[in-house]
Amino acid sequence: MDESSTVCQPFSMTQRREAMNVLVVDVGGTHVKILATGKDAPRKFVSGPNLTPARMVSGVKQLAGEWQFDCVTVGYPGPVIRGRIASEPHNLGAGWIGFDFEAEFGCPVRLINDAAMQALGSYEGGRMLFLGLGTGLGSALVLEGIVQPTELAHLPYRKGTFEDYIGLRGLKRLGRKKWRACVIDAVSRLIAALEPEYVVLGGGNVKELKELPQGCRAGTNAAAFRGGFRLWEQPNIATTPASAPPAGPPVAGQS
């Protein structure tokens, strides 16, 4: 991910709109997971470094099968500014910038940073820090209902970055014991710097922790999907098509 997401426009959870049938697509470095309104079990397929946006959409359509939906949320593993992808992903194929998701899905699409989507689904009030321990390191702050994506992953840490040590590469390089120690140390540093009231640790590698760092709770597998559904409960904050260039002043709303 890229540090440019720090200038994304925040959006508020305090406003609501009429419910719609939503398909939520959580794009990760190892899997793409989907869930539609009213369905109990998510479906998934393998992603990886050769996954282009066209292949992603094709895979989602095939996997969704009989599911009916009016609109789509895409949780993207990188910065999203004014509803548009701002940089290519580190762990997927190329071609994401400028891709016309609405044309390919045939319905309205809202793009959001994947960590912000998980944060939105995990939030229970106050000042929350979300950290996603997955292929990389996702992060977002929620401040009194306002979600702000952050790019903590690439801040300097030891001889590299936070992501180098507590992302999947760090887990494989260091082994579980040293990786767990790095997670505890990194989280304590981020808590000291950002002063959240509580921290939610999400992502697939949370299960590798024997115990959670102080002040943290584990996120649930459903949080990302809940965030994707909640995004469509907002007012009309994503009027700019996902592939179109921005026009006029930024809309206070979607990250």
Side-chain angles (χ1 to χ4, degrees):
M1 288 185 285
D2 183 275
E3 67 274 13
S4 60
S5 68
T6 57
V7 299
C8 292
Q9 296 296 317
F11 56 85
S12 172
M13 290 178 56
T14 60
Q15 297 169 301
R16 295 286 182 259
R17 63 172 289 163
E18 186 178 349
M20 305 174 70
N21 289 323
V22 183
L23 177 67
V24 180
V25 181
D26 184 13
V27 181
T30 54
H31 291 93
V32 175
K33 302 175 184 179
I34 67 171
L35 185 68
T37 300
K39 304 302 178 181
D40 296 323
R43 299 172 179 177
K44 67 180 180 180
F45 62 91
V46 174
S47 58
N50 295 319
L51 185 74
T52 64
R55 289 174 179 171
M56 184 276 287
V57 173
S58 176
V60 167
K61 287 181 174 179
Q62 182 176 359
L63 192 63
E66 76 285 0
W67 287 357
Q68 300 295 314
F69 52 91
D70 305 311
C71 55
V72 177
T73 296
V74 176
Y76 173 74
V80 177
I81 300 177
R82 296 185 190 174
R84 297 188 308 130
I85 291 173
S87 72
E88 297 290 338
H90 285 277
N91 302 307
L92 303 174
W96 296 79
I97 295 177
F99 186 81
D100 194 341
F101 291 92
E102 293 196 339
E104 294 301 317
F105 276 113
C107 65
V109 175
R110 287 184 177 176
L111 296 167
I112 182 174
N113 170 264
D114 60 342
M117 185 167 76
Q118 293 182 62
L120 183 62
S122 303
Y123 184 64
E124 295 180 352
R127 182 184 178 96
M128 185 194 80
L129 171 63
F130 174 85
L131 297 172
L133 305 178
T135 305
L137 173 64
S139 60
L141 280 168
V142 188
L143 310 175
E144 303 301 335
I146 303 297
V147 181
Q148 177 61 62
T150 62
E151 286 298 320
L152 304 177
H154 305 301
L155 292 177
Y157 178 71
R158 296 188 178 182
K159 296 181 180 180
T161 66
F162 282 109
E163 184 170 276
D164 291 331
Y165 282 84
I166 64 176
L168 182 60
R169 292 191 303 272
L171 175 59
K172 290 181 177 179
R173 185 181 75 253
L174 299 170
R176 284 187 177 87
K177 185 176 181 179
K178 291 183 178 180
W179 176 81
R180 288 167 180 161
C182 285
V183 170
I184 291 173
D185 178 64
V187 170
S188 67
R189 291 170 185 259
L190 294 173
I191 289 175
L194 299 171
E195 299 183 334
E197 295 174 9
Y198 61 102
V199 178
V200 175
L201 297 181
N205 290 332
V206 172
K207 65 181 182 295
E208 303 292 345
L209 295 171
K210 293 182 69 174
E211 59 184 30
L212 296 177
Q214 186 175 1
C216 298
R217 67 171 173 84
T220 66
N221 291 333
F225 296 119
R226 189 183 305 116
F229 295 135
R230 282 181 172 177
L231 190 61
W232 286 93
E233 295 173 356
Q234 309 300 314
N236 188 20
I237 59 175
T239 55
T240 303
S243 63
V251 177
Q254 186 173 349
S255 56

